[in-house]
């Protein structure tokens, strides 16, 4: 991410001065990243009702509305702030569409779409060139989905952010509003929990 680049700082200054084109350019730079972040987190049961592009557009509108607040006291890089807004939007949509009934909260959580789950599984066990390893990664994907259901929201975010989105520990800490030390400790704990759950599900070579 180029959140600290000279061009980003220049565009932020232009946006601060009231230039709407500067914000448009900044958002356009990160639109594809946001699409991936939303697609990764959006529950597959909402696919028939919500399009990833619509969620990204809602994130754009929210970012435009809150831009003065961000420029006044930016606590994180611009790109990470957009990702945070997108994540918050997805969580809100999940609450509205899936967990309106409080008794349903926590049931049938699907933190990763099918294709993302398979890629995440492959990232956890490591790349392999042989067809048998590819098949194993696909088989692991469903078990991984089941294991992730047993983790809490923060634990899933730490694992998905680190392994799928390649976010640094510092970025994860900023995204979750915790210290870097806490993010690292909680990541290690989440990974151990995930490994234990996977082993209970019959994945003997869990990382």
């Amino acid at each position: 991410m180029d959140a600290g680049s000279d061009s980003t700082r220049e565009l932020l200054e232009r946006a601060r001065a009231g230039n709407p084109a500067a914000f448009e350019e900044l958002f356009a730079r990160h639109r594809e990243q946001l699409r991936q972040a939303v697609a990764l987190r959006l529950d597959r049961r909402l696919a028939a009702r919500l399009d990833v592009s619509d969620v990204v557009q809602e994130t754009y509108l929210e970012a435009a509305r809150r831009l003065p607040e961000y420029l006044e006291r930016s606590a994180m890089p611009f790109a990470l702030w957009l990702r945070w807004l997108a994540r918050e939007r997805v969580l809100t949509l999940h609450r509205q569409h899936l967990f309106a009934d409080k008794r349903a909260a926590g049931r049938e959580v699907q933190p990763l779409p099918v294709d993302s789950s398979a890629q995440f599984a492959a990232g956890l066990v490591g790349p392999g060139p042989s067809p048998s390893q590819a098949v194993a990664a696909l088989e692991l994907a469903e078990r991984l989905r089941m294991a992730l259901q047993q983790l809490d929201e923060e634990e899933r975010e730490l694992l998905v952010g680190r392994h799928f989105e390649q976010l640094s520990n510092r970025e994860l800490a900023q995204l979750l509003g915790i210290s870097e030390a806490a993010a690292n400790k909680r990541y290690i704990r989440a990974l151990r929990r995930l490994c234990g759950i996977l082993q209970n599900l019959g994945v003997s070579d869990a990382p």
Side-chain angles (χ1 to χ4, degrees), residues 58 146 202:
E58 291 172 3
M146 295 170 62

Side-chain angles (χ1 to χ4, degrees), residues 10 21 26-27 43 58-59 63 127 130 132 152 161 164 173 182-183 186 195:
E10 179 183 348
L26 279 168
F27 194 89
D43 191 291
E58 291 172 3
T59 302
S130 72
S132 62
D152 63 34
F164 191 89
R186 294 179 193 182
C195 292

Side-chain angles (χ1 to χ4, degrees), residues 102-167:
K102 292 183 179 179
R103 292 173 299 176
R107 287 196 212 154
E108 200 185 345
V109 177
Q110 301 288 349
L112 296 175
V114 176
D115 57 343
S116 297
S117 185
Q119 293 180 59
F120 184 27
L124 279 174
V125 301
S130 72
S132 62
Q133 288 173 311
V135 170
L138 290 173
E139 292 175 348
L140 175 58
E142 185 56 32
R143 293 182 184 180
L144 174 64
R145 183 190 299 280
M146 295 170 62
L148 287 168
Q149 290 175 358
Q150 300 181 46
L151 302 179
D152 63 34
E153 178 186 304
E154 183 182 83
E155 290 172 327
R156 286 195 298 271
E157 190 67 35
L158 285 164
L159 292 169
V160 170
R162 178 72 67 90
H163 289 278
F164 191 89
E165 298 182 289
Q166 286 81 51
L167 295 179

Side-chain angles (χ1 to χ4, degrees), residues 93-108:
L93 289 169
H94 284 178
R95 287 192 292 267
Q96 291 175 346
H97 292 274
L98 301 177
F99 304 137
D101 183 348
K102 292 183 179 179
R103 292 173 299 176
R107 287 196 212 154
E108 200 185 345

